[in-house]
Amino acid sequence: MAPESQEQTSIHGLRGLISKTAHKTAVLSSLVAALFGVPAGLAHASEMSDINKLMRAGQYAEALTKTDAVLAKHPRDAQLRFTKGLILAEQNRSAEAIAVFGKLTEDFPDLPEPYNNLAVLYAADGQYDKARAALDMAMRTNPTYATALENLGDVYAKLASQAYDKALQIDPGANVPQPKLTLLRSLNGNTTGGTVPRLASAASAQRDAKAKADASAAEQQQRAKALAAEKAAQQAAADKAEAEKTAIAKATADKEKAQADKEKADKAAADKARADKARADKARSEQLAAEQARAQKAAADKAAAEQKQAELLAQKEKDKADKLAKEQAARAEKEKAAQAAAEKARADKLAAAEKAKADKARADKDKAKAEASAEQEKSAVLAALNGWAKSWSDKDVRGYLGHYASDFDTPKGASRKEWAEERRARIEDKGRISVKVSNATVSISGNTATVRYRQIYNSDRLTVDSRKTLIFVKQGNRWLIKQERSGG
């Protein structure tokens, strides 16, 4: 795949996720408002829904116009600014998208998503050092962010590949795998704050991603060494063949020179011995026959030696070809096993992420249920407090006393009956009574609730403004007063 096509895949491959996240727009806007103090009313949610519909329809120019119009009313809305960055990325306006996400990281440094998307855009532009720095920042905000962690592993692998290419001066057009980084489509905020029990496992996963990149670089370096060794062996074989050829040519020239010298000597001897030619003809003839026989034997021996040498060279070349074929087969098998292991690791990682997501959803549900129950109990305690104050203000002695538990700690060790009669007398003796409570705070532990509040007591004889503390106990379905104390 060409680099341009891979860049398109990196930026636009998750376009289908827009439709899956559109119905969450109102929730996300409310979350951002809660995090950064920006109001998210019904009109705002409706505008976000319209923008997402335009994006799903591929109408990015209209979506950008709509987003800019809403941003004019809500210039600090993080969700709207994040959406604008996505639209610019979809329009291949990378520089403008980088500016939007970069400003988001300045204004909201605790959000990991803008850092992640900056890294994707930098990687698409070949700026892998900047991509790595942005992903490092994302991991600082949330060390367990799976998408940023996987992207960081891909960037480390690309950086290792670049270092390998530079060291060996490999053709830039070589088929080097391109990183496929994931562009995030939604702004969820840093809900963990980066301080969760899984911090150690996230750091370990980050080290594993870098170790994987280092192992890839080491494997490529080993391949380069093997290729260099093979090239050296081929050069040595060529040098040896050239040397043998030179030796054969020299031997042939020496033989021809020797033959010429010998013929010259023979002619001189014949001239000198012409007088006794008859006597020496037989000996000469025998000598020539012997020399011819020796020359023929030497030629046959040389031919046999050359044939044997050629056979040895052919066998050596065959052995070298067999060895290379075996090495290539072993390398292919190793790469196949590594690919299978990587596929399994990705599947395991995906399964773990899905399980973690389900566990978090259950935990959030249980927490919400517990908080709702706690709020319900606090409301019940406050209702009991206000009912007690109302009965007192209405001089409803029976209702007033009914707000006290059967084991109420009476003051000064008085009996319950004595205390009740004393309270009845003091209430009925007044012409009017007004009891108001304010600034009440409630803390609950099991079946006991502690209420601290400000009490303003006013009658036709006395006015008192003081801090009070009541201890309630739950008996049946009612919260009743167990103890009264003055002061906060």
Side-chain angles (χ1 to χ4, degrees), residues 85-167:
L86 287 176
I87 296 171
L88 291 171
E90 293 287 358
Q91 293 179 314
N92 293 326
R93 296 162 65 177
S94 298
E96 296 175 65
I98 287 173
V100 172
F101 290 128
K103 192 65 171 64
L104 268 174
T105 63
E106 295 175 6
D107 294 344
F108 307 107
D110 292 331
L111 291 177
E113 292 89 345
Y115 289 114
N116 180 86
N117 287 5
L118 269 178
V120 174
L121 294 170
Y122 282 142
D125 196 38
Q127 301 182 63
Y128 294 103
D129 285 326
K130 288 187 177 182
R132 178 181 58 186
L135 287 170
D136 283 341
M137 292 301 298
M139 295 305 299
R140 288 183 187 179
T141 66
N142 187 349
T144 62
Y145 212 116
T147 301
L149 184 60
E150 183 176 357
N151 288 344
L152 185 60
D154 288 341
V155 169
Y156 272 130
K158 180 58 182 178
L159 287 171
S161 177
Q162 283 187 335
Y164 165 72
D165 290 349
K166 183 177 180 181

Side-chain angles (χ1 to χ4, degrees), residues 170-307:
I170 292 178
D171 179 12
N175 186 19
V176 178
Q178 298 294 321
K180 297 181 179 179
L181 308 186
T182 301
L183 188 70
L184 292 172
R185 314 301 301 189
S186 61
L187 182 64
N188 296 307
N190 186 1
T191 57
T192 67
T195 56
V196 294
R198 294 175 57 199
L199 178 59
S201 64
S204 175
Q206 186 173 3
R207 288 194 298 272
D208 290 345
K210 189 175 186 301
K212 177 181 176 183
D214 292 341
S216 176
E219 181 181 354
Q220 293 176 347
Q221 187 177 10
Q222 190 64 28
R223 291 181 185 175
K225 289 180 179 178
L227 291 173
E230 181 181 346
K231 184 176 181 181
Q234 292 175 348
Q235 184 62 41
D239 293 343
K240 183 176 180 181
E242 184 64 26
E244 290 174 351
K245 182 178 178 181
T246 302
I248 292 172
K250 186 176 183 301
T252 302
D254 291 344
K255 181 182 177 182
E256 291 175 351
K257 184 176 182 299
Q259 184 67 28
D261 292 343
K262 184 177 181 301
E263 290 176 353
K264 182 178 180 181
D266 289 344
K267 183 179 179 183
D271 292 340
K272 182 179 179 181
R274 189 174 287 112
D276 51 351
K277 182 177 178 300
R279 192 172 53 246
D281 281 345
K282 183 178 179 181
R284 178 70 177 168
S285 214
E286 291 175 353
Q287 183 181 1
L288 288 175
E291 289 178 355
Q292 185 176 8
R294 285 195 297 274
Q296 289 175 349
K297 185 178 182 302
D301 292 343
K302 181 179 179 182
E306 290 176 349
Q307 178 64 26

Side-chain angles (χ1 to χ4, degrees), residues 12-24:
H12 301 299
L14 298 180
R15 181 175 297 167
L17 291 180
I18 297 175
S19 60
K20 297 181 181 179
T21 58
H23 69 283
K24 299 180 181 178

Side-chain angles (χ1 to χ4, degrees), residues 271-437:
D271 292 340
K272 182 179 179 181
R274 189 174 287 112
D276 51 351
K277 182 177 178 300
R279 192 172 53 246
D281 281 345
K282 183 178 179 181
R284 178 70 177 168
S285 214
E286 291 175 353
Q287 183 181 1
L288 288 175
E291 289 178 355
Q292 185 176 8
R294 285 195 297 274
Q296 289 175 349
K297 185 178 182 302
D301 292 343
K302 181 179 179 182
E306 290 176 349
Q307 178 64 26
K308 185 176 180 180
Q309 183 66 28
E311 291 174 353
L312 289 174
L313 287 174
Q315 184 63 40
K316 185 175 181 181
E317 290 297 328
K318 183 178 181 299
D319 293 343
K320 186 186 296 182
D322 293 342
K323 181 179 179 182
L324 180 60
K326 290 180 180 179
E327 289 177 350
Q328 289 176 343
R331 190 157 52 244
E333 188 65 27
K334 183 178 179 181
E335 290 174 352
K336 182 178 179 181
Q339 184 178 4
E343 290 294 334
K344 183 178 182 302
R346 281 194 291 271
D348 292 343
K349 183 176 180 181
L350 181 60
E354 290 297 328
K355 183 178 181 301
K357 183 178 179 181
D359 291 344
K360 183 178 182 302
R362 283 194 296 272
D364 291 344
K365 183 177 179 181
D366 293 342
K367 180 180 178 182
K369 184 177 179 181
E371 290 176 350
S373 176
E375 290 300 322
Q376 187 175 5
E377 291 296 341
K378 287 182 179 181
S379 297
V381 171
L382 290 174
L385 174 67
N386 291 323
W388 167 78
K390 185 176 185 306
S391 296
W392 191 0
S393 297
D394 294 343
K395 297 175 63 177
D396 179 6
V397 178
R398 181 176 180 181
Y400 171 81
L401 295 175
H403 282 279
Y404 288 86
S406 58
D407 56 348
F408 171 68
D409 293 340
T410 58
K412 299 180 181 180
S415 67
R416 176 63 181 259
K417 182 178 180 181
E418 291 173 343
W419 171 79
E421 290 300 325
E422 189 270 339
R423 294 303 300 159
R424 179 184 298 276
R426 294 186 64 178
I427 292 172
E428 292 178 346
D429 184 51
K430 304 296 187 300
R432 63 175 180 82
I433 296 176
S434 171
V435 180
K436 296 181 180 179
V437 298

